[in-house]
Amino acid sequence: MEDAYARSLSEVLEFFGVDPSKGLTDAQVVKHAKSYGRNVLPQEKSTPFWKLVLKQFDDLLVKILIAAAIVSFVLALVNGETGLSAFLEPSVILMILAANAAVGVITETNAEKALEELRAYQADVATVLRNGCFSIIPATDLVPGDIVEVCVGCKVPADLRMLELLTDQLRVDQAILTGESGSVEKELAVTVAANAVYQDKTNILFSGTIVVAGRARAVVVGTGSNTAMGSIRDSMLNTEDEATPLKKKLDEFGTVLAKIIAGICILVWIVNIGHFGDPSHGGLLRGAIHYFKIAVALAVAAIPEGLPAVVTTCLALGTKKMARLNAIVRSLPSVETLGCTTVICSDKTGTLTTNMMSVSKICVLHSIRRGPIATEYSVSGTTYAPDGSIYDSTGVQLDIPAQHPCLLHIAMCSALCNESVVQYNPDKKNYEKIGESTEVALRVLGEKIGIPGFDSMPSALNMLSKHERAAYCNRHWENHFKRISLLEFSRDRKMMSVLCSNKEMEIMFSKGAPESIISRCSTIMCNDEGSTVPLTPNIRAELESRFEIFAGRLTLRCLALAFKRMPAGQQVLSVDDERGLTFIGLVGMLDPPRDEVREAILSCRTAGIRVIVVTGDNKVTAESLCKKIGGFDHLDDFSGLSYTASEFEDLPAMQKTVALQRMTLFTRVEPSHKRMLVEALQNQNEVVAMTGDGVNDAPALKKADIGIAMGSGTAVAKSASDMVLADDNFATIIAAVAEGRAIYNNTKQFIRYMISSNIGEVVCIFVAAALGIPDTLMPVQLLWVNLVTDGLPATAIGFNKQDCDVMKVKPRKVNEAVVTGWLFFRYLVIGVYVGLATVAGFIWWFIYSDTGPKLSYNELMNFDSCSTRETNYPCTVFSNRHPSTVSMTVLVVVEMFNALNNLSENQSLLIVPPWSNLWLVGSIILTMILHFLILYVQPLSVLFSVIPLTWADWKTVLYLSFPVIIIDEILKLFSRGPRGMKRFFRFRRPDFLPKREVRDK
């Protein structure tokens, strides 16, 4: 029954055919179970493992690589190759693809855990009325129409319509569903609000929420998927994971690259059609196969096999850095997504605030004889920990607060007129509450005030263990006063009273709404001497004025405290006793903002990131918080910046678009609104980060480009998120954004490095084929260069230092190309030089090397007809491994120099020297060591078809390789423009180079 909140009780009971005094009959239970199903969230079918694996290979580049591996293997068998050489190339390719597939499968498996965690919020048992008798049954057996009883501490087992209050009030903590910071009072009346959201449905108890006060009966109106929790599950199921901006760009790059590769391979094969019948091939078919193999080698050279592995490695390194910043990354691609985030939609409760109600202001009567009538105290400390101090109106800390009479009596009343508990959890290493948040705040206030009579107060309390300290002062008062009678809070009185006895003296303590308490007071306690004086109209007006300031301008939740001496021997309290009270003081409490949030909001603005506060709380409370944290700096009119969910939904389409571009605060929202907000922002090409900690946040966390959960949040929110903040601190997001931007910059650098290197390999093979000279490099040699010499330096580029101004620039646009037109030209120039240098090394050995045959260029070009003519050299010289070893070494060394070019996109090596990234220097050294091993260690040299080089060979290699640095320095000079050229020529000025500690940041 979807609209039970808008129906009268008689209509709801009639709809389900249930007698509220007897409950459902067994026959009705069976009938309803068939109609509505079990009270469980259905188990979603998980994607079969084999489908997850296949999905990882659904990529054009990957398919080309697989095809290349298969063709390479088949061609090896056709040519009669056996053993390791036939399997090496395809095996290495397939191993890399398998490793990347494993990472993808693990990531997608984690994403499905959120749906499983949602079931943890379903109640285990329920107290139900059936056949006229109450019994406890498994909550899964509930059906719509069941009459259920709930009480303090109960987890609501299904969506229930209130039927009868068994106590004066019923309050429910539904923060996991709505994000409200305080508990909600439930009532029987019909909800008449149009477009009612969860917060408006005050007659409905939602599945999974917790009863914190009172007892009531209710009728089940929704079970399983038809509950509020069920709608969240459906929303999560309907949310498809968005590809990250980097993934989109890499996919686009891969598609373009695949088309270019296919075109070049076909072109190479066609260009050599005339050579198919050359005698050296032994037949037309064998010639076609030979050049087809060259085309495959070209594909292997062009595709950056190591790119997925290097991207994954770089992102993994980023996750380690973020972990040190208390940002735990659950999805590797989200590391980079942070870098282009343009909007952060932040949950208020628990993210921007501590989600721990605490007293921040106290107002008491100072004296009627001198000075101001009333005085205020400020209270520090924003958690349930008993850590904090009391400060007077001038900002001076009170050494022993309990020496002040009014504060002492506030502590006594807070401890005795209280039903909550504060305890220390050693596993979580924090203080936890049991009961109503406002009562817990009073408990903590009592601990901060302390107890009188000891000179060592309050330092002596710090000697206690955390478990003892949690309620030491409260227990002190509970031991001195015996509670005799209790008058519970009621909606008409709006107050609660407790009768206590101490040494044959009876005293009543009361707390409640200020208007209720003040109207029942006839006297008031003075704080300067502890005397009691009549509550005059002037004093009453002053107190009411302070209450208006606390509740209005400061938006504090206020309670007034009072006491009354009772006749000796009185054992029972009545409502009539709550007259002639003595006013003690007024306390104002709030869910306080985190200390670091204001600075973090300012950092977001500097970085071009907009913050939208999203909350289920009411508009006035949320606007007050936004003012405190800098969201509404220097503004008195919030129109156009602050909207409730219903106000936003009522806007015309065009005004919604404008509102989304200015919105700072979004209040009274429920889960569907959060998800809608994320989608609307994404439709405006915004990259959205959503923070949250409740079950209600899960759909939006899953839909956002990056979902950020709080470490103390629900398991559902964590499972649906991409990142978890271990310290629950909004400021940590800013540090993570800076790291994300740095990671993207480094990712761009190694992608460009690999592109230019692979262009060189393509040019090498293409030019060799076009010139008609022997194969410059064997496929296995190309694979070695791609995997080892590309991979290690490319990964090390990920350790480039973060730019000092990384958070002073606007977020990059999502459609910004990884390689722009000018940059592509730059790396095309570099790539062409790399390829030509590699071919030059090959030709050099045949024509100029003292150890070579010293052929003419014409003889080298006509190598394939060697067997058909007379020569003064053996034809076997063209199968010599020496020239391919030289060209392979040139390719390795030139790429090492090219890696140094990528320390910075535009800065010269004279400004950003190689030792600024020692990881890169180390990787270059390691790469060269590995290359020396395959050159000079016998089994490896045979495997890779190479031979040792002489010193003369090495000199030629260096001569051909080093110019790549000079070429790139010239291109960087043009990139910087005229201004950059001036800076280049002034680089030695002392004030130009930043200090080491600044550079290293």
Side-chain angles (χ1 to χ4, degrees):
M1 190 176 189
E2 294 182 357
D3 61 345
Y5 63 89
R7 301 285 190 93
S8 66
L9 282 174
S10 58
E11 287 180 294
V12 173
L13 294 172
E14 184 182 349
F15 180 86
F16 292 112
V18 59
D19 181 345
S21 62
K22 295 181 180 179
L24 295 175
T25 63
D26 290 339
Q28 285 178 306
V29 170
V30 173
K31 180 182 176 183
H32 288 192
K34 286 182 179 178
S35 300
Y36 300 106
R38 298 187 72 215
N39 182 30
V40 292
L41 294 177
Q43 179 83 35
E44 184 62 24
K45 291 182 180 180
S46 59
T47 307
F49 181 76
W50 63 271
K51 281 190 177 180
L52 283 178
V53 173
L54 286 181
K55 185 179 176 182
Q56 310 312 313
F57 296 95
D58 187 18
D59 180 87
L60 193 55
L61 276 181
V62 171
K63 290 174 183 175
I64 291 175
L65 273 176
I66 293 173
I70 294 172
V71 169
S72 176
F73 179 65
V74 170
L75 291 177
L77 293 180
V78 169
N79 288 344
E81 296 178 28
T82 57
L84 189 60
S85 60
F87 292 94
L88 180 65
E89 182 182 323
S91 298
V92 173
I93 293 174
L94 293 176
M95 279 194 296
I96 292 172
L97 296 176
N100 282 294
V103 172
V105 169
I106 292 169
T107 301
E108 296 207 21
T109 303
N110 286 337
E112 294 186 354
K113 288 184 179 177
L115 294 172
E116 298 173 17
E117 299 283 2
L118 202 57
R119 296 188 190 91
Y121 291 88
Q122 292 185 289
D124 297 323
V125 295
T127 302
V128 64
L129 176 65
R130 287 179 179 173
N131 301 308
C133 298
F134 276 102
S135 59
I136 297 175
I137 66 169
T140 53
D141 292 341
L142 284 178
V143 296
D146 265 327
I147 306 298
V148 174
E149 189 167 301
V150 294
C151 58
V152 176
C154 283
K155 186 182 288 184
V156 178
D159 279 7
L160 313 176
R161 168 69 159 87
M162 289 284 289
L163 192 62
E164 179 184 2
L165 277 170
L166 302 177
T167 53
D168 290 323
Q169 66 165 346
L170 184 83
R171 299 191 72 86
V172 177
D173 181 355
Q174 53 188 41
I176 63 165
L177 183 65
T178 63
E180 292 167 288
S181 54
S183 60
V184 178
E185 185 176 354
K186 295 296 181 177
E187 55 189 19
L188 304 179
V190 173
T191 299
V192 294
N195 299 321
V197 295
Y198 290 145
Q199 294 90 326
D200 298 325
K201 300 173 185 177
T202 52
N203 55 15
I204 300 291
L205 307 180
F206 297 105
S207 175
T209 58
I210 306 293
V211 178
V212 296
R215 186 164 146 257
R217 285 183 191 168
V219 57
V220 177
V221 294
T223 56
S225 296
N226 297 317
T227 61
M229 286 292 174
S231 66
I232 289 175
R233 169 190 171 275
D234 294 341
S235 181
M236 291 170 68
L237 281 175
N238 294 331
T239 301
E240 295 182 6
D241 292 331
E242 291 284 333
T244 67
L246 180 62
K247 177 72 166 60
K248 290 176 182 175
K249 287 299 156 193
L250 290 179
D251 287 346
E252 290 173 12
F253 167 68
T255 303
V256 173
L257 188 61
K259 292 175 181 176
I260 293 172
I261 290 167
I264 293 176
C265 289
I266 294 170
L267 184 62
V268 167
W269 199 68
I270 292 173
V271 163
N272 285 285
I273 285 178
H275 296 283
F276 286 3
D278 290 347
S280 60
H281 301 313
L284 189 67
L285 180 61
R286 285 189 172 274
I289 291 174
H290 172 79
Y291 286 105
F292 183 66
K293 191 170 183 181
I294 289 177
V296 171
L298 187 63
V300 173
I303 298 173
E305 297 95 337
L307 181 58
V310 173
V311 171
T312 301
T313 304
C314 187
L315 295 178
L317 292 171
T319 65
K320 287 191 175 182
K321 291 180 185 177
M322 288 188 177
R324 291 197 291 270
L325 301 172
N326 289 317
I328 301 163
V329 176
R330 298 183 67 256
S331 170
L332 284 182
S334 64
V335 176
E336 175 275 331
T337 308
L338 275 169
C340 55
T341 298
T342 58
V343 178
I344 298 176
C345 295
S346 176
D347 188 40
K348 177 183 80 72
T349 306
T351 306
L352 300 176
T353 68
T354 62
N355 196 21
M356 298 182 187
M357 195 69 72
S358 64
V359 174
S360 63
K361 289 283 186 181
I362 301 172
C363 177
V364 298
L365 177 67
H366 177 64
S367 172
I368 59 170
R369 297 186 178 87
R370 61 182 185 277
I373 294 177
T375 187
E376 289 183 11
Y377 294 99
S378 298
V379 186
S380 66
T382 57
T383 67
Y384 294 143
D387 304 324
S389 303
I390 314 294
Y391 299 86
D392 65 19
S393 56
T394 63
V396 177
Q397 182 179 337
L398 304 184
D399 293 330
I400 306 178
Q403 288 182 343
H404 299 261
C406 286
L407 293 181
L408 176 64
H409 280 75
I410 285 174
M412 293 164 61
C413 185
S414 297
L416 299 168
C417 193
N418 203 310
E419 296 288 291
S420 67
V421 176
V422 180
Q423 60 188 17
Y424 181 72
N425 186 327
D427 296 327
K428 296 182 179 179
K429 296 183 180 179
N430 61 11
Y431 292 87
E432 296 179 337
K433 68 162 185 169
I434 299 176
E436 185 65 41
S437 297
T438 52
E439 292 199 331
V440 173
L442 291 176
R443 286 270 188 206
V444 176
L445 175 62
E447 295 298 324
K448 292 174 182 177
I449 293 173
I451 52 180
F454 300 94
D455 293 336
S456 58
M457 284 293 163
S459 58
L461 295 173
N462 297 329
M463 313 235 352
L464 301 170
S465 69
K466 291 187 175 181
H467 178 72
E468 294 173 311
R469 181 68 187 93
Y472 184 84
C473 299
N474 282 274
R475 279 196 298 269
H476 169 84
W477 298 119
E478 288 170 348
N479 291 334
H480 279 69
F481 290 86
K482 179 183 177 184
R483 285 186 24 164
I484 300 172
S485 179
L486 171 69
L487 268 180
E488 287 187 347
F489 181 95
S490 68
R491 295 180 63 192
D492 54 344
R493 289 166 37 248
K494 295 183 180 179
M495 63 183 294
M496 164 190 178
S497 298
V498 61
L499 178 63
C500 301
S501 174
N502 177 28
K503 297 179 181 179
E504 300 181 355
M505 176 184 71
E506 275 67 44
I507 186 169
M508 180 181 72
F509 290 101
S510 301
K511 77 168 189 290
E515 63 272 20
S516 297
I517 295 290
I518 293 175
S519 66
R520 288 173 169 81
C521 289
S522 58
T523 57
I524 186 168
M525 177 176 277
C526 294
N527 197 41
D528 62 342
E529 56 188 21
S531 61
T532 299
V533 298
L535 183 57
T536 64
N538 285 343
I539 298 175
R540 192 183 299 271
E542 176 68 17
L543 292 176
E544 289 173 350
S545 173
R546 296 297 176 110
F547 166 54
E548 287 177 6
I549 292 173
F550 279 14
R553 181 161 56 85
L554 301 179
T555 62
L556 301 178
R557 183 172 297 178
C558 296
L559 287 177
L561 308 178
F563 75 98
K564 179 183 179 182
R565 294 285 178 88
M566 304 299 290
Q570 181 167 339
Q571 297 295 308
V572 179
L573 282 179
S574 68
V575 174
D576 293 334
D577 292 320
E578 295 177 326
R579 306 269 177 205
L581 305 179
T582 299
F583 187 86
I584 305 172
L586 181 70
V587 297
M589 57 189 75
L590 78 163
D591 181 10
R594 295 180 180 275
D595 297 333
E596 313 85 352
V597 166
R598 188 178 182 86
E599 191 65 34
I601 296 284
L602 292 175
S603 296
C604 282
R605 284 185 183 161
T606 305
I609 301 171
R610 189 155 58 98
V611 178
I612 300 176
V613 179
V614 185
T615 178
D617 264 349
N618 69 70
K619 195 173 184 178
V620 175
T621 302
E623 286 178 347
S624 174
L625 173 82
C626 282
K627 289 183 71 174
K628 289 186 177 76
I629 63 175
F632 291 145
D633 267 358
H634 313 301
L635 292 174
D636 294 320
D637 182 11
F638 308 145
S639 58
L641 301 175
S642 174
Y643 294 90
T644 65
S646 57
E647 287 172 350
F648 182 77
E649 286 185 324
D650 292 339
L651 291 174
M654 185 61 69
Q655 290 185 32
K656 277 185 181 179
T657 303
V658 175
L660 283 169
Q661 294 169 355
R662 297 188 61 214
M663 184 186 291
T664 301
L665 178 63
F666 198 39
T667 54
R668 303 299 282 174
V669 300
E670 56 184 39
S672 60
H673 294 131
K674 292 188 176 185
R675 188 173 182 274
M676 175 270 294
L677 176 63
V678 172
E679 286 180 345
L681 288 167
Q682 287 174 335
N683 289 337
Q684 293 191 352
N685 295 321
E686 304 280 9
V687 178
V688 184
M690 166 64 82
T691 74
D693 58 355
V695 173
N696 61 317
D697 299 316
L701 290 174
K702 197 165 185 288
K703 177 63 181 171
D705 295 288
I706 175 162
I708 306 171
M710 301 298 110
S712 62
T714 61
V716 177
K718 291 178 190 174
S719 297
S721 67
D722 301 298
M723 190 173 84
V724 178
L725 301 184
D727 58 357
D728 286 13
N729 196 336
F730 181 83
T732 302
I733 299 173
I734 309 308
V737 168
E739 192 59 46
R741 289 185 173 189
I743 288 169
Y744 178 72
N745 290 340
N746 292 341
T747 302
K748 284 197 300 184
Q749 286 303 103
F750 70 63
I751 288 175
R752 291 165 182 166
Y753 162 68
M754 297 183 85
I755 290 172
S756 59
S757 297
N758 283 19
I759 288 173
E761 294 164 16
V762 170
V763 168
C764 165
I765 292 179
F766 187 78
V767 168
L771 293 176
I773 62 176
D775 297 344
T776 310
L777 294 170
M778 296 176 63
V780 71
Q781 293 172 336
L782 277 172
L783 195 63
W784 166 259
V785 173
N786 277 346
L787 295 182
V788 182
T789 62
D790 278 7
L792 289 174
T795 304
I797 288 171
F799 288 94
N800 284 349
K801 291 285 189 293
Q802 188 181 111
D803 294 338
C804 296
D805 62 346
V806 72
M807 288 300 285
K808 294 180 181 177
V809 296
K810 291 189 178 298
R812 63 183 173 83
K813 297 191 181 299
V814 182
N815 56 2
E816 177 189 297
V818 177
V819 180
T820 58
W822 164 245
L823 281 173
F824 182 75
F825 173 77
R826 274 177 55 180
Y827 291 100
L828 185 63
V829 170
I830 296 296
V832 168
Y833 178 79
V834 169
L836 293 177
T838 305
V839 174
F842 186 83
I843 295 173
W844 168 85
W845 185 84
F846 278 105
I847 299 176
Y848 301 108
S849 174
D850 292 334
T851 58
K854 293 197 174 181
L855 306 177
S856 68
Y857 182 69
N858 188 56
E859 288 177 316
L860 180 60
M861 284 187 64
N862 293 291
F863 77 98
D864 47 3
S865 61
C866 177
S867 59
T868 62
R869 51 189 170 85
E870 288 187 10
T871 61
N872 55 2
Y873 54 86
C875 291
T876 54
V877 72
F878 296 111
S879 58
N880 193 306
R881 291 181 295 168
H882 204 130
S884 63
T885 304
V886 172
S887 60
M888 178 186 177
T889 305
V890 169
L891 185 56
V892 169
V893 176
V894 77
E895 288 190 10
M896 294 306 98
F897 284 126
N898 191 29
L900 294 176
N901 288 333
N902 285 276
L903 282 166
S904 173
E905 183 177 317
N906 293 315
Q907 289 299 325
S908 166
L909 277 172
L910 299 172
I911 303 298
V912 184
W915 52 88
S916 66
N917 185 347
L918 293 177
W919 288 100
L920 181 57
V921 174
S923 70
I924 291 173
I925 293 171
L926 180 58
T927 297
M928 292 310 300
I929 290 172
L930 291 173
H931 190 66
F932 274 105
L933 285 176
I934 69 165
L935 288 181
Y936 298 105
V937 176
Q938 185 64 37
L940 293 175
S941 62
V942 173
L943 182 63
F944 289 96
S945 299
V946 293
I947 61 172
L949 297 182
T950 64
W951 173 238
D953 296 332
W954 277 107
K955 283 197 294 185
T956 302
V957 167
L958 292 173
Y959 285 143
L960 290 171
S961 302
F962 185 76
V964 76
I965 286 184
I966 298 171
I967 293 170
D968 199 53
E969 286 294 313
I970 295 170
L971 292 171
K972 284 181 179 179
L973 199 60
F974 282 108
S975 291
R976 293 192 295 270
R979 185 179 172 186
M981 293 183 191
K982 291 178 184 177
R983 292 175 66 186
F984 177 80
F985 290 114
R986 293 187 303 175
F987 76 92
R988 294 187 182 278
R989 277 182 51 181
D991 61 343
F992 182 81
L993 285 171
K995 293 180 180 178
R996 175 176 291 275
E997 57 264 32
V998 175
R999 280 203 322 268
D1000 291 348
K1001 282 183 181 178

Coordinates of all heavy atoms in Angstrom, one line a residue, residues 410-419 443 474 477-483 486 496 498 500 507 509:
I410 N 23.4 22.4 36.6 CA 23.1 21.9 35.2 C 23.7 20.5 35.1 O 23.1 19.6 34.5 CB 23.7 22.9 34.2 CG1 22.9 24.1 34.1 CG2 23.9 22.2 32.8 CD1 23.4 25.2 33.2
A411 N 24.9 20.3 35.6 CA 25.6 19.0 35.6 C 24.7 17.9 36.3 O 24.5 16.8 35.8 CB 27.0 19.0 36.1
M412 N 24.2 18.3 37.5 CA 23.4 17.3 38.2 C 22.1 17.0 37.5 O 21.7 15.8 37.3 CB 23.0 18.0 39.6 CG 24.2 18.2 40.5 SD 23.9 19.3 41.9 CE 22.6 18.5 42.7
C413 N 21.4 18.0 36.9 CA 20.2 17.8 36.2 C 20.4 17.0 34.9 O 19.7 16.1 34.6 CB 19.5 19.1 35.9 SG 17.9 19.0 35.1
S414 N 21.6 17.3 34.2 CA 21.9 16.5 33.0 C 22.1 15.1 33.3 O 21.8 14.2 32.4 CB 23.1 17.2 32.4 OG 22.9 18.5 32.0
A415 N 22.7 14.8 34.4 CA 23.0 13.4 34.8 C 21.8 12.6 35.2 O 21.6 11.4 34.9 CB 24.1 13.3 35.8
L416 N 20.9 13.3 36.0 CA 19.8 12.5 36.7 C 18.6 12.5 35.9 O 17.8 11.5 35.9 CB 19.6 13.2 38.0 CG 20.8 13.1 39.0 CD1 20.6 14.0 40.2 CD2 21.0 11.7 39.4
C417 N 18.2 13.6 35.2 CA 17.0 13.7 34.3 C 17.4 13.2 32.9 O 17.4 14.0 32.0 CB 16.5 15.1 34.3 SG 14.8 15.2 33.6
N418 N 17.8 11.9 32.8 CA 18.4 11.4 31.6 C 18.2 9.9 31.5 O 18.4 9.2 32.5 CB 19.9 11.8 31.6 CG 20.5 11.8 30.2 OD1 20.3 10.9 29.4 ND2 21.2 12.9 29.9
E419 N 17.9 9.5 30.3 CA 17.7 8.0 30.1 C 18.7 7.4 29.1 O 18.6 6.3 28.7 CB 16.3 7.8 29.4 CG 15.2 8.2 30.3 CD 15.0 7.2 31.5 OE1 14.6 6.1 31.3 OE2 15.2 7.7 32.6
R443 N 24.7 14.4 28.8 CA 25.6 13.5 29.5 C 27.0 14.0 29.4 O 27.8 14.1 30.3 CB 25.5 12.1 29.0 CG 24.2 11.3 29.4 CD 24.5 10.6 30.7 NE 23.3 9.7 31.0 CZ 23.0 9.3 32.2 NH1 23.7 9.8 33.3 NH2 22.0 8.6 32.4
N474 N 28.9 11.5 35.7 CA 27.4 11.1 35.7 C 27.2 10.1 36.8 O 26.2 10.1 37.5 CB 27.0 10.6 34.3 CG 26.8 11.7 33.3 OD1 25.7 12.3 33.3 ND2 27.8 12.1 32.6
W477 N 27.0 11.6 40.3 CA 25.7 12.1 40.7 C 24.7 11.0 40.9 O 23.8 11.1 41.8 CB 25.2 13.1 39.7 CG 26.1 14.3 39.6 CD1 26.8 14.7 38.5 CD2 26.5 15.2 40.6 NE1 27.5 15.8 38.7 CE2 27.4 16.2 40.0 CE3 26.1 15.4 42.0 CZ2 27.9 17.2 40.8 CZ3 26.7 16.4 42.7 CH2 27.5 17.3 42.1
E478 N 24.7 10.0 40.1 CA 23.8 8.9 40.3 C 24.0 8.1 41.6 O 23.1 7.6 42.2 CB 23.9 7.9 39.1 CG 23.3 8.5 37.8 CD 23.7 7.7 36.6 OE1 24.6 6.8 36.7 OE2 23.1 7.9 35.5
N479 N 25.2 8.1 42.1 CA 25.5 7.5 43.3 C 25.1 8.3 44.5 O 24.8 7.8 45.6 CB 27.0 7.2 43.5 CG 27.5 6.1 42.5 OD1 26.7 5.2 42.1 ND2 28.7 6.1 42.1
H480 N 25.1 9.7 44.4 CA 24.7 10.6 45.4 C 23.2 10.8 45.5 O 22.6 11.2 46.6 CB 25.4 11.9 45.3 CG 26.8 11.9 45.8 ND1 27.8 11.3 45.1 CD2 27.3 12.6 46.9 CE1 28.9 11.4 45.8 NE2 28.7 12.2 46.9
F481 N 22.5 10.6 44.4 CA 21.0 10.7 44.3 C 20.4 9.4 43.9 O 20.8 8.8 42.9 CB 20.7 11.8 43.4 CG 21.0 13.2 43.8 CD1 22.3 13.7 43.5 CD2 20.1 14.0 44.5 CE1 22.6 15.0 43.9 CE2 20.4 15.3 44.9 CZ 21.7 15.8 44.6
K482 N 19.4 9.1 44.6 CA 18.6 7.8 44.3 C 17.4 8.3 43.5 O 16.6 9.1 44.0 CB 18.2 7.1 45.5 CG 17.4 5.8 45.3 CD 17.0 5.1 46.5 CE 16.2 3.9 46.3 NZ 15.7 3.3 47.5
R483 N 17.2 7.7 42.3 CA 16.0 8.1 41.6 C 14.8 7.3 42.1 O 14.8 6.1 42.3 CB 16.2 7.7 40.1 CG 17.1 8.8 39.4 CD 17.2 8.6 37.9 NE 16.2 8.0 37.2 CZ 16.1 8.1 35.9 NH1 16.9 8.8 35.2 NH2 15.1 7.4 35.2
L486 N 9.6 8.9 38.0 CA 9.8 9.5 36.7 C 8.5 9.9 36.1 O 7.6 9.1 36.0 CB 10.6 8.5 35.8 CG 10.8 8.9 34.4 CD1 11.7 10.0 34.2 CD2 11.2 7.7 33.5
M496 N 10.2 16.6 30.9 CA 10.4 15.4 31.6 C 10.9 15.7 33.0 O 11.7 16.6 33.1 CB 11.4 14.5 30.8 CG 12.0 13.3 31.6 SD 13.4 12.6 30.7 CE 13.9 11.3 31.9
V498 N 12.2 14.0 37.0 CA 12.6 12.9 37.8 C 12.7 13.3 39.2 O 13.2 14.4 39.6 CB 13.9 12.3 37.2 CG1 15.0 13.3 37.3 CG2 14.3 11.0 38.0
C500 N 14.3 12.6 42.9 CA 15.5 12.0 43.4 C 15.6 12.3 44.9 O 15.0 13.3 45.5 CB 16.8 12.6 42.8 SG 16.9 12.3 41.0
I507 N 14.3 16.0 45.9 CA 14.5 17.1 44.9 C 14.0 16.6 43.5 O 14.3 15.4 43.2 CB 15.9 17.6 44.9 CG1 16.1 18.8 44.0 CG2 16.9 16.5 44.4 CD1 17.4 19.5 44.1
F509 N 14.2 17.2 39.4 CA 14.9 17.8 38.3 C 14.0 17.7 37.1 O 13.5 16.6 36.8 CB 16.3 17.2 38.1 CG 17.3 17.4 39.1 CD1 17.6 16.4 40.1 CD2 18.0 18.6 39.2 CE1 18.5 16.7 41.1 CE2 18.9 18.9 40.2 CZ 19.2 17.9 41.1

